[in-house]
Structure formats: structure tokens, C-alpha cells
Amino acid sequence: MHFFIDIIWKVYILINMTRHLTTNERGKTALERLRKIKPFVQASLNVTKKRCGNPRCRCAQEGPIHEVSLLTWKEQNRTRTLYVPIELRQEVDRWVQEGKLLKRLVAEVSQAQREFLTSKKKLRKSNKD
């Protein structure tokens, strides 16, 4: 639970950063894209096959085994797994893709802010000369 609260807090901070102009064009573009982020989850969606365990099912003997979707993520250095019903698989996959986009955008904003600070430092140094 702490993992998700931490991510939500970071997104809140990043979204509020869009109100400030202390960034470069690259940062402004990334922040604008962050404002459009949809529901997300930072995890992996894995589709695998397994036997269901029902002794009367076709998969118990020789029949085809069932496809199952599992959402996995790390929490406090432990891998957690959650079953995803088949009717939610596509939606959860979109959440996973949004989570990956969020991670890329956070890295992009961070890089833009470092570039912004470096340019300010150079400008200040040239004004002293």
C-alpha cells in the first residue's frame, strides 16, 4: 500500500509543478504530457497457462490448460502477484502501459530540470565575468 501512496504523491507533485515556469521547453512539454496521464499501475501483466485444480475440469486430465493473467510488482523487496479476471485483462494492460509512460515522463522531467539548472549556472557564471 505504501508503494502506491508514494507513486500517487509523486504524480501530485509533478502535476503541481506545471503551474511553475521554472523549467525549460523540454520540461514544459513533459509536464504537459504528465497532466494527461490516465489511470496507471506500476507492475507487469503476465499471461500464462496452468491447470485450474478442479478434478472434473477438462484440464485435469489431458485437455487444454487454462490461460491466466497475473499482475506482478515489487513491494518491500518481495514480489506480489494478483489474479486479473479475463474481462479486465485489456484494461489492466492499458494501466501497465500508462505506468511505463509515467516512468519515462518522470525521467524526462528530471533530466529537463537538471539541464535547466545547468543552464542557469552557466548564465550566472557568464554574468559574473
Side-chain angles (χ1 to χ4, degrees), residues 16-110:
N16 283 326
M17 282 177 60
T18 59
R19 296 182 184 142
H20 303 290
L21 299 176
T22 54
T23 190
N24 56 20
E25 285 304 313
R26 180 178 171 192
K28 288 176 187 175
T29 302
L31 287 169
E32 186 61 36
R33 289 172 57 201
L34 265 172
R35 291 180 61 211
K36 297 175 183 173
I37 205 84
K38 296 177 180 117
F40 65 91
V41 63
Q42 288 192 316
S44 297
L45 183 64
N46 302 299
V47 179
T48 188
K49 292 184 178 187
K50 67 181 250 180
R51 299 193 190 283
C52 68
N54 181 350
R56 289 178 281 171
C57 181
R58 70 184 193 287
C59 75
Q61 301 300 319
E62 294 181 23
I65 56 179
H66 302 284
E67 209 174 66
V68 83
S69 301
L70 301 171
L71 191 70
T72 58
W73 69 96
K74 289 282 189 180
E75 191 175 287
Q76 298 175 351
N77 294 326
R78 293 185 67 185
T79 301
R80 304 290 183 180
T81 303
L82 183 64
Y83 169 77
V84 177
I86 196 162
E87 63 271 10
L88 290 176
R89 185 186 300 171
Q90 287 183 334
E91 185 173 357
V92 172
D93 186 49
R94 285 191 295 270
W95 298 346
V96 170
Q97 297 310 313
E98 285 293 311
K100 290 177 182 179
L101 174 62
L102 175 65
K103 188 174 183 178
R104 286 192 305 271
L105 289 174
V106 167
E108 199 172 314
V109 171
S110 184

